Amino acid sequence: MFDPEALRAAPAWPFEEARKLVARLERTGKSEALFETGYGPSGLPHIGTFGEVARTTMVRHAFRALTDDKVPTRLVAFSDDMDGLRKVPDNVPNRELLAGAIGQPLTRVPDPFGTHESFGHHNNARLRAFLDDFGFEYEFRSATDCYRSGVFDETLLRMLERYDAVMAVMLPSLREERRQTYSPFLPLHPRTGEVMQVPVEERNLGNGAIVWRDPVSGERFETPVTGGHCKLQWKPDWAMRWVALGVDYEMAGKDLIDSVKLSGRIARAIGAEPPEGFNYELFLDDKGQKISKSKGNGLTIEDWLKYGSRESLALFMYNKPREAKRLHFDVIPRHVDDYLTFLEKYPQQEDRQRLANPVWHIHSGAPPAPELLAGGQGGSGQAGANATSLTFSMLLNLVAVANSEEPAVIWGFIRRYAPDVSPQTHPRLNELVGYAGRYFRDFVRPAKAYRLPTEVERAALAQLHDDLEDKLGSTDAEDLQALVYEVGRAHFPDLSGKAKSPDGRPGVAKTWFETIYQILLGENRGPRFGSFVALYGVAETRALIAKALAGELVTEHEAFLKGQG
């Protein structure tokens, strides 16, 4: 249990959102909180779908913590599967099946995959499998089912009754030409089943129906707005759904700010209060351009999960949701390592710090224990002052110098450093080893830039090589780091006098570590070198230095790049 005052003062954005919801329920007197996320099943679930459900789940859990879990909550994942098919997607088989179904509700469009009764049902099943796979707790609702079963009937009749008020909200937002034919109600053609975009000629409040004309044949029809005979244009539909289901919280992307405002005004026009929520920023590609599914210029969930954990993706979604962020391959390693750092800090933190720690929100208040390694100490590696997580960046460099992406080879180094650690005792670390191998192969190795040492650098590296001989077999990262500093003080002293080594003695110039990383690892930055030597091995590090001094690392990488070309 957390201190109530720490909960009330928690600054994390999910708590800010949850406090708005607490105030809403106090104002409305509702006895439960309903959260909603929306999904358009004309395509498959994507990384934005994950982000919206993950962020909403974080707010939901913060609300449960603030209310001591005494207020029931539900999360509805809503599929707008009664929407008419607008175009044939490029990424489906049997496209000719869909070509003849333009304008039909998605739950009446044939399934090109041949697995379900309709394209909408197929994509709904994919959505549910997607959400289940990530372990989200939710209730699935289908627009088709809600319209046909009568769940929406009362609110649809109210919208028909207040038709003029709804039109007064919508018409100023439309182009002049669109205003002439716009209607919030979209009747389903009684013969073809098509979702019709037609003006309403009459409203029959007594029958709860609208009168409209077939634009091709000129035939007039009177269609009930209830029972699934009509659906709504999407902004009125959004508002109607909020009111009919009693939605208290829904977030949306920044590109929907105007739509949220319009739908909120429509909800008020039919006598209800729109839900709480906020608008999150959009994702950008590596060039700073807005990510577009049609352009294919962003990462898919499959892309991310090939190189990083689900938790790292959740951390990306948690961080600064109101700021535009680059969603590109190069952000993955940092989020993997940041997640491990947050997880490692959590057990030692006080309540206030834990509630601000992203892992509390990612794991709904129950983060797993960090998988720590206590090098050379024996035991399970789960305790001890020197126990630490093995980082993604460290593994990337280990893969590089081991000249192997095979997990068994990398585990050989890990087991020598921490003998009682294995893929069975550290399954998350085992996944990390796989991620590191794939990421190194696809992104790191081609971008490396080894260079030859200067005379000053050569002398320093030669001394490091020789002095390490006395440390053969050591896995004491602190002792090895002290030796690295000692050599650096002799060749790269800090002339400013401001830098200090970990033991309090005078530090070394930053160029010493840049020398190590650039010449031995082909990078401008790298891991804490004493820890790296402890993991890779003293003898292996000495051999690596010898290869660098002989120019072999440069020539090997040049040969690799030539082969790539």
Side-chain angles (χ1 to χ4, degrees):
M1 294 293 293
F2 283 91
D3 174 50
E5 185 56 38
L7 286 166
R8 285 191 292 269
W13 70 264
F15 278 105
E16 293 178 359
E17 294 301 299
R19 282 190 282 270
K20 291 175 3 185
L21 193 51
V22 169
R24 174 190 178 90
L25 265 63
E26 290 175 349
R27 184 174 67 252
T28 62
K30 281 191 66 177
S31 58
E32 76 163 8
L34 181 65
F35 298 79
E36 181 182 65
T37 62
Y39 169 62
S42 57
L44 299 178
H46 53 83
I47 203 161
T49 309
F50 171 83
E52 188 165 315
V53 179
R55 287 165 171 164
T56 303
T57 297
M58 292 172 188
V59 176
R60 181 187 182 188
H61 182 69
F63 174 84
R64 294 177 61 182
L66 283 175
T67 58
D68 198 23
D69 215 12
K70 294 177 179 177
V71 178
T73 64
R74 293 188 292 134
L75 169 59
V76 168
F78 191 91
S79 172
D80 188 15
D81 57 14
M82 202 170 165
D83 195 20
L85 179 68
R86 294 177 176 84
K87 64 178 182 178
V88 178
D90 295 328
N91 59 345
V92 299
N94 304 312
R95 298 178 73 238
E96 66 279 0
L97 283 177
L98 276 62
I102 298 297
Q104 291 290 322
L106 290 166
T107 45
R108 292 186 180 179
V109 174
D111 178 15
F113 298 92
T115 59
H116 293 78
E117 61 183 278
S118 75
F119 188 41
H121 286 89
H122 173 90
N123 286 341
N124 285 342
R126 293 288 297 270
L127 172 66
R128 293 196 298 272
F130 172 85
L131 297 177
D132 292 343
D133 188 47
F134 280 99
F136 290 118
E137 181 186 332
Y138 68 98
E139 299 174 16
F140 177 78
R141 299 297 291 269
S142 156
T144 300
D145 292 345
C146 288
Y147 271 105
R148 291 178 179 173
S149 67
V151 169
F152 289 160
D153 282 0
E154 181 181 346
T155 312
L156 288 167
L157 290 171
R158 195 187 315 172
M159 187 164 284
L160 181 65
E161 178 186 338
R162 303 189 185 183
Y163 183 93
D164 291 337
V166 174
M167 292 288 279
V169 173
M170 286 303 304
L171 291 181
S173 71
L174 304 172
R175 298 188 305 273
E176 180 61 34
E177 181 181 356
R178 184 79 175 98
R179 293 179 192 175
Q180 304 306 314
T181 60
Y182 180 83
S183 167
F185 289 96
L186 303 175
L188 270 62
H189 199 293
R191 296 198 179 98
T192 68
E194 183 180 348
V195 180
M196 303 299 295
Q197 298 261 0
V198 290
V200 170
E201 294 188 356
E202 296 178 26
R203 285 174 287 142
N204 189 332
L205 298 182
N207 292 339
I210 57 172
V211 177
W212 56 282
R213 189 180 301 274
D214 186 318
V216 176
S217 68
E219 186 176 2
R220 281 165 55 95
F221 295 95
E222 182 172 0
T223 300
V225 299
T226 55
H229 299 288
C230 277
K231 79 173 299 290
L232 294 174
Q233 299 271 11
W234 82 271
K235 294 184 184 75
D237 182 271
W238 205 4
M240 181 275 299
R241 192 166 77 220
W242 288 342
V243 176
L245 299 180
V247 176
D248 296 294
Y249 189 89
E250 182 165 4
M251 58 178 66
K254 183 182 178 181
D255 56 334
L256 296 180
I257 286 177
D258 289 341
S259 299
V260 170
K261 290 178 180 177
L262 283 172
S263 296
R265 290 176 59 196
I266 292 171
R268 292 187 179 95
I270 59 176
E273 184 177 350
E276 305 297 323
F278 79 100
N279 295 100
Y280 50 83
E281 259 289 2
L282 306 178
F283 301 136
L284 307 176
D285 65 13
D286 58 325
K287 298 179 179 62
Q289 301 297 312
K290 174 186 170 183
I291 280 178
S292 165
K293 284 188 291 182
S294 60
K295 291 180 182 178
N297 60 334
L299 292 188
T300 65
I301 286 186
E302 292 75 18
D303 289 334
W304 188 295
L305 297 183
K306 181 179 180 182
Y307 305 109
S309 64
R310 298 179 178 200
E311 293 82 6
S312 66
L313 177 58
L315 177 61
F316 178 84
M317 297 302 175
Y318 173 87
N319 284 337
K320 300 178 180 178
R322 293 183 178 89
E323 294 183 13
K325 295 184 294 186
R326 291 175 65 256
L327 179 57
H328 193 62
F329 290 103
D330 58 4
V331 307
I332 296 176
R334 177 169 59 85
H335 282 84
V336 172
D337 278 348
D338 284 351
Y339 169 77
L340 294 174
T341 299
F342 286 126
L343 191 65
E344 189 173 333
K345 289 180 177 179
Y346 185 84
Q348 286 76 44
Q349 291 178 324
E350 299 176 351
D351 281 2
R352 179 181 58 82
Q353 296 169 315
R354 287 185 171 187
L355 294 172
N357 188 324
V359 300
W360 188 88
H361 301 273
I362 290 170
H363 294 285
S364 296
E371 292 184 349
L372 303 179
L373 280 73
Q377 296 179 12
S380 65
Q382 292 293 333
N386 296 322
T388 186
S389 300
L390 192 55
T391 65
F392 194 39
S393 57
M394 180 77 80
L395 284 172
L396 287 174
N397 284 294
L398 182 57
V399 170
V401 297
N403 198 29
S404 175
E405 301 153 20
E406 287 297 321
V409 174
I410 305 307
W411 269 105
F413 289 101
I414 297 172
R415 292 289 297 271
R416 184 176 59 187
Y417 174 70
D420 293 339
V421 170
S422 71
Q424 290 71 40
T425 63
H426 287 59
R428 291 198 301 276
L429 175 57
N430 191 43
E431 291 182 349
L432 200 61
V433 168
Y435 298 142
R438 291 188 288 273
Y439 194 90
F440 174 80
R441 177 194 63 219
D442 295 343
F443 300 106
V444 177
R445 188 176 185 185
K448 280 185 174 290
Y450 291 92
R451 67 176 178 84
L452 296 172
T454 65
E455 287 306 311
V456 172
E457 293 168 339
R458 179 176 293 276
L461 288 171
Q463 182 180 339
L464 180 60
H465 171 276
D466 294 344
D467 290 356
L468 279 171
E469 185 173 11
D470 294 335
K471 305 293 184 180
L472 286 171
S474 173
T475 58
D476 187 336
E478 298 302 322
D479 185 48
L480 293 168
Q481 183 76 353
L483 186 148
V484 175
Y485 268 94
E486 192 65 35
V487 174
R489 268 189 287 270
H491 297 270
F492 291 88
D494 173 50
L495 300 179
S496 71
K498 297 179 180 178
K500 297 291 183 183
S501 66
D503 60 5
R505 299 175 63 194
V508 301
K510 186 173 68 172
T511 50
W512 169 227
F513 293 102
E514 291 174 350
T515 293
I516 292 173
Y517 301 142
Q518 291 171 2
I519 295 173
L520 301 185
L521 302 177
E523 304 276 356
N524 288 320
R525 294 181 298 274
R528 189 171 184 266
F529 200 66
S531 299
F532 172 78
V533 176
L535 179 62
Y536 183 49
V538 174
E540 287 78 6
T541 302
R542 294 183 76 236
L544 180 68
I545 296 172
K547 288 184 69 174
L549 294 178
E552 294 176 22
L553 297 182
V554 171
T555 56
E556 286 177 1
H557 191 62
E558 287 175 348
F560 164 75
L561 294 177
K562 186 176 181 180
Q564 290 287 99

